[in-house]
Amino acid sequence: MSQSVSTVSHLETVSSRKAFDTVIAYTILRLSFGANILLHGLSRILNGRPAFLAYLTHYFEHAHLISPGMLPVFGAVLPWVETTLGLLLMLGLFSRFTLIVGALVLTALVIGTNLAQDWLVSGLQLPYCFIYYYLLIHLEQNGISLDTWWGIGGR
């Protein structure tokens, strides 16, 4: 009897540790991904709007389906959206909303990249799509987050 109790206790400990390790792994992925997205936006902000607009203008010069008039608005908004989404991801705040909006922003970027016929970058964007997908469908593992600590939505 003592041995079966010990075995059950050991299995519970292993199961509990595995569950906590899953939460830790999720948190590390969310933090790393959030930092990546945040720094995409922040670096564009720090380099200045004219520099980013010049880059966009050159990048999309042969993408005839993208109106050059859209680029200044896109160039002004995207860095702030990326910075905000990245920060929210790092904090684990409004996580569900943040992941859905981030995935939609990335969808717009994928479309633009394909219209610019930049197949290499388009392929590099697919792991970002997968990470958004993974983080969203495993949101129950978002245990180390402001959403959880404050008991607000996002899970």
Side-chain angles (χ1 to χ4, degrees), residues 42-53:
L42 189 59
S43 66
R44 291 172 176 157
I45 291 168
L46 294 176
N47 285 330
R49 188 170 169 218
F52 186 48
L53 183 56

Side-chain angles (χ1 to χ4, degrees), residues 59-95:
Y59 189 82
F60 290 110
E61 68 186 347
H62 299 293
H64 303 293
L65 294 176
I66 296 179
S67 167
M70 289 176 36
L71 296 179
V73 174
F74 185 76
V77 171
L78 181 64
W80 292 101
V81 169
E82 289 175 324
T83 301
T84 302
L85 291 173
L87 180 61
L88 290 173
L89 278 172
M90 290 185 71
L91 296 173
L93 185 58
F94 310 119
S95 299

Side-chain angles (χ1 to χ4, degrees), residues 3-146:
Q3 186 176 358
S4 65
V5 170
S6 176
T7 302
V8 169
S9 177
H10 174 70
L11 290 175
E12 288 173 351
T13 301
V14 169
S15 177
S16 177
R17 189 172 353 143
K18 183 171 174 77
F20 188 64
D21 287 350
T22 301
V23 170
I24 290 171
Y26 182 94
T27 302
I28 292 168
L29 178 62
R30 193 195 74 234
L31 286 169
S32 301
F33 190 59
N36 183 284
I37 300 300
L38 181 140
L39 292 172
H40 269 87
L42 189 59
S43 66
R44 291 172 176 157
I45 291 168
L46 294 176
N47 285 330
R49 188 170 169 218
F52 186 48
L53 183 56
Y55 165 77
L56 288 175
T57 302
H58 175 71
Y59 189 82
F60 290 110
E61 68 186 347
H62 299 293
H64 303 293
L65 294 176
I66 296 179
S67 167
M70 289 176 36
L71 296 179
V73 174
F74 185 76
V77 171
L78 181 64
W80 292 101
V81 169
E82 289 175 324
T83 301
T84 302
L85 291 173
L87 180 61
L88 290 173
L89 278 172
M90 290 185 71
L91 296 173
L93 185 58
F94 310 119
S95 299
R96 183 174 182 274
F97 172 80
T98 300
L99 290 166
I100 291 169
V101 170
L104 292 172
V105 169
L106 191 60
T107 300
L109 294 173
V110 167
I111 290 168
T113 302
N114 279 280
L115 290 174
Q117 298 182 25
D118 191 344
W119 314 122
L120 179 62
V121 171
S122 179
L124 294 172
Q125 290 170 325
L126 294 178
Y128 284 83
C129 295
F130 180 79
I131 293 172
Y132 273 117
Y133 160 82
Y134 183 90
L135 290 172
L136 185 59
I137 67 164
H138 293 285
L139 204 52
E140 75 279 356
Q141 298 169 354
N142 196 28
I144 303 173
S145 66
L146 289 181

